[in-house]
Amino acid sequence: MSFDTWYREIPIVTRCYLTVSVLTTVACFFDLISPFSLYLNYRLIYEKYEVWRLFTNFCFFGMPSLDFVFHMYFLVRYCRLLEEGPSFRGRSSDFFTMLMFGALLMLIIAPFSSVFFLGYSLTFMMVYVWARRSETFPMNFLGLFNFPAPWLPWVLLAFSALLGASPVVDLVGILVGHVYYYLEDIVPRMPGRFHGKHVIFTPAIIKYLFDEQQHDGLRVDFQPNGVDLREAGFDGAEGGADGL
């Protein structure tokens, strides 16, 4: 498969996020822009009106390195698994809404966590949501041991901690991912005024921009204990344990 074919097969939201992130890194590498003009700084946003920082901090994953490649792999893999899988298949507008919800919540949390680039946390949020909705999906960590998909965020968190990285970035992603999972998958199944209702909804203007009015009835309601991806028709679930 050629690179062009592979790239065009990536769903629209994942493709756009990947493209912007790579172009941002390339621009920083060639000194076209500085990472210091991208990081989240509310003082500069308020005093200097540098409002672009609310968005650019999600698009910079560091200079080209093995760590950068690692995070691009996770961005493409789990962003794509969510957008193409039973969670959001045919509903890229809802997937975009999930990312905007997560980004907004992270922007609120950021001043209390001292995290200045939130792209890592947003990626970890996607990993968490995918893992919680894929409880029947077997995983394998570097060929060392197998574990169920819901353990994936915690395995990655432990691995990062062993390498000396701060757990705060990953924990922000886990927290925001759990809030989304709770509101989207748990609350609609609880008795009371929100039973059968989804607290998070996609505005009509976003559905219009994605031209997805015809997909209104295709939302998949996940059970709190996950979904069998094979029964949902997701090819990625076929075969043995999936490696990281």
Side-chain angles (χ1 to χ4, degrees):
M1 179 186 297
S2 67
F3 174 80
D4 181 68
T5 301
W6 172 82
Y7 180 75
R8 292 181 181 278
E9 286 182 352
I10 300 175
I12 182 63
V13 177
T14 303
R15 185 167 70 243
C16 289
Y17 192 20
L18 171 66
T19 302
V20 171
S21 298
V22 171
L23 289 178
T24 300
T25 296
V26 170
C28 289
F29 180 76
F30 288 104
D31 291 326
L32 299 177
I33 56 177
S34 169
F36 292 104
S37 66
L38 305 176
Y39 77 96
L40 184 64
N41 186 315
Y42 280 107
R43 183 180 63 81
L44 293 177
I45 293 172
Y46 178 75
E47 296 180 0
K48 303 293 185 179
Y49 306 108
E50 298 180 0
V51 294
W52 64 82
R53 293 178 182 271
L54 294 171
F55 306 96
T56 56
N57 78 91
F58 289 100
C59 301
F60 181 70
F61 289 81
M63 291 298 186
S65 63
L66 183 61
D67 182 67
F68 171 77
V69 174
F70 179 79
H71 281 93
M72 288 300 97
Y73 167 78
F74 269 82
L75 187 155
V76 173
R77 177 170 176 76
Y78 292 101
C79 196
R80 184 172 183 172
L81 280 174
L82 276 176
E83 191 173 358
E84 284 187 336
S87 287
F88 296 101
R89 180 181 296 155
R91 296 166 42 238
S92 290
S93 59
D94 291 340
F95 180 65
F96 179 78
T97 298
M98 184 198 79
L99 294 184
M100 293 301 99
F101 172 84
L104 179 60
L105 200 52
M106 289 176 189
L107 289 173
I108 296 173
I109 296 173
F112 308 98
S113 62
S114 298
V115 177
F116 303 106
F117 291 101
L118 291 167
Y120 301 102
S121 298
L122 191 62
T123 302
F124 221 80
M125 172 197 173
M126 289 184 279
V127 171
Y128 183 88
V129 173
W130 177 85
R132 290 303 300 264
R133 289 180 166 182
S134 310
E135 294 194 1
T136 61
F137 199 66
M139 303 294 297
N140 179 278
F141 183 72
L142 302 178
L144 299 177
F145 61 90
N146 297 329
F147 59 92
W151 291 13
L152 177 60
W154 306 104
V155 171
L156 294 176
L157 176 63
F159 183 66
S160 297
L162 288 175
L163 295 179
S166 171
V168 175
V169 172
D170 294 346
L171 287 173
V172 170
I174 288 175
L175 173 62
V176 174
H178 185 72
V179 171
Y180 177 85
Y181 170 77
Y182 182 82
L183 293 177
E184 185 70 3
D185 295 356
I186 304 298
V187 170
R189 299 184 180 278
M190 296 174 60
R193 62 180 299 185
F194 293 108
H195 180 72
K197 300 179 180 179
H198 289 274
V199 179
I200 302 172
F201 63 93
T202 302
I205 182 62
I206 295 180
K207 285 186 176 290
Y208 175 79
L209 292 174
F210 279 86
D211 191 25
E212 288 184 350
Q213 299 94 326
Q214 68 271 27
H215 296 303
D216 286 343
L218 297 183
R219 177 190 289 268
V220 176
D221 288 322
F222 284 80
Q223 298 289 344
N225 60 346
V227 64
D228 189 325
L229 297 183
R230 296 176 181 85
E231 293 180 359
F234 184 44
D235 295 336
E238 297 178 356
D242 188 47
L244 296 184

